[in-house]
Amino acid sequence: MKIVLNLFFALLFVQSCFGVEAPTSSAAPVSHDLFNSLLKKYVSDKGVVNYGGFKKDQKELKKYLDVISANAPGSSWSENEKLAYWINAYNAFTIQLILDNSENDLKSIKDIGDKIKIPFVNTPWDVKFINIGGKKMDLNNIEHGIIRKQFKEPRIHFALVCAAKSCPPLRNEAFTAERLNEQLNNQAEKFINDTSKNKISKSSASISKIFDWYGMDFKPTSIIDILNKYSKTKLDSKAKISYATYDWSLNGSF
């Protein structure tokens, strides 16, 4: 009974932290061209972010975030239009969070939780600095309360970027509904074949903690089958799997 009660309260805690009803509107699907232009200017092909460039161009980033804030997905939007919107929103607001705290000599996004003192906020992903459709939310709400809950799409873990070196590379173009499947597949290939994040041989693999943290999102497909779908080096079915230490250093510089 004690175990059941503990699980019950754990679920309540998770829901209270991440549970949020996705805001909706009657707006037409938004253009991500503004964000696309900024990504092309300030993100390298390998996902290294020029935060100094974004800082100088903050007015343009704010214009895009204002569009995102004022135009939550509508019921008439396709699933791809909604998912592209939320992925771009997460990545763009993450960049803004880094810029908002750049005066703190930021070396890692995790420094934000240590250096800013906001009651009841434990991590940078709990900071409610986002307003979409009149709802205040944080990055956890977007990732866990909306994207993971609504879309059941494991490839989002290769597209959402939390500003750390061990994260997937930030794509230097915005996600769009028209190309979303192609873009997600490409992100999976780039991430899984990046030897700084995943070291794969025939008999063993040292892989990103993302596969450990979000293993349930990939089921019923096994991790080996997921890796073999995208990896240039194919693993044996009984290959030994271990998880690499996650590098939380900032994925770029000022």
Side-chain angles (χ1 to χ4, degrees):
M1 175 62 88
K2 187 176 179 181
I3 294 172
V4 172
L5 283 174
N6 286 339
L7 286 171
F8 173 73
F9 286 118
L11 285 170
L12 282 181
F13 175 75
V14 169
Q15 287 177 346
S16 66
C17 287
F18 304 142
V20 61
E21 285 297 319
T24 60
S25 73
S26 58
V30 301
S31 168
H32 300 289
D33 288 350
L34 264 175
F35 191 38
N36 190 68
S37 296
L38 290 168
L39 290 169
K40 286 189 179 301
K41 283 172 72 174
Y42 301 124
V43 181
S44 76
D45 289 339
K46 293 186 177 180
V48 179
V49 184
N50 177 359
Y51 286 106
F54 272 107
K55 195 170 182 67
K56 290 176 184 175
D57 237 342
Q58 271 199 90
K59 286 185 179 178
E60 288 301 296
L61 180 60
K62 186 178 185 305
K63 281 182 189 176
Y64 175 69
L65 293 177
D66 285 348
V67 169
I68 291 295
S69 293
N71 297 278
S75 58
S76 64
W77 293 27
S78 71
E79 288 300 289
N80 277 6
E81 286 167 341
K82 292 175 185 175
L83 183 52
Y85 169 98
W86 287 116
I87 294 173
N88 289 328
Y90 183 94
N91 289 342
F93 277 112
T94 297
I95 293 169
Q96 186 60 58
L97 182 64
I98 298 298
L99 300 183
D100 287 344
N101 292 276
S102 59
E103 70 280 0
N104 293 327
D105 190 29
L106 213 60
K107 303 298 182 187
S108 165
I109 189 172
K110 295 186 81 174
D111 291 344
I112 294 172
D114 297 332
K115 294 181 179 180
I116 60 173
K117 303 300 180 185
I118 302 174
F120 308 113
V121 169
N122 299 312
T123 76
W125 298 280
D126 297 312
V127 180
K128 291 197 180 298
F129 71 105
I130 301 165
N131 189 320
I132 295 179
K135 291 188 176 183
K136 294 289 286 183
M137 61 179 69
D138 53 45
L139 292 168
N140 271 336
N141 293 146
I142 293 177
E143 179 178 7
H144 305 295
I146 297 174
I147 297 178
R148 291 180 65 214
K149 180 180 177 182
Q150 233 180 64
F151 296 96
K152 312 298 182 188
E153 170 53 81
R155 292 176 299 172
I156 57 101
H157 296 300
F158 311 128
L160 298 175
V161 182
C162 61
K165 284 184 178 178
S166 283
C167 286
L170 182 62
R171 195 173 182 84
N172 64 351
E173 66 175 6
F175 288 89
T176 62
E178 296 77 18
R179 296 180 54 227
L180 188 59
N181 190 57
E182 169 205 337
Q183 290 174 313
L184 290 175
N185 278 334
N186 182 249
Q187 284 292 112
E189 289 170 6
K190 286 171 69 174
F191 179 68
I192 288 172
N193 289 288
D194 184 341
T195 55
S196 70
K197 298 170 174 59
N198 301 283
K199 292 179 172 60
I200 300 171
S201 69
K202 186 177 179 182
S203 60
S204 66
S206 174
I207 60 175
S208 170
K209 287 287 287 183
I210 286 172
F211 293 105
D212 185 24
W213 295 330
Y214 302 111
M216 289 299 296
D217 289 4
F218 294 96
K219 290 187 180 300
T221 308
S222 72
I223 292 300
I224 286 179
D225 285 344
I226 287 286
L227 293 169
N228 281 343
K229 183 174 181 180
Y230 299 105
S231 177
K232 293 174 183 175
T233 302
K234 304 306 178 186
L235 286 150
D236 287 339
S237 60
K238 294 184 179 179
K240 183 180 178 182
I241 300 293
S242 61
Y243 298 99
T245 301
Y246 211 78
D247 185 352
W248 287 103
S249 304
L250 204 62
N251 62 343
S253 64
F254 287 91

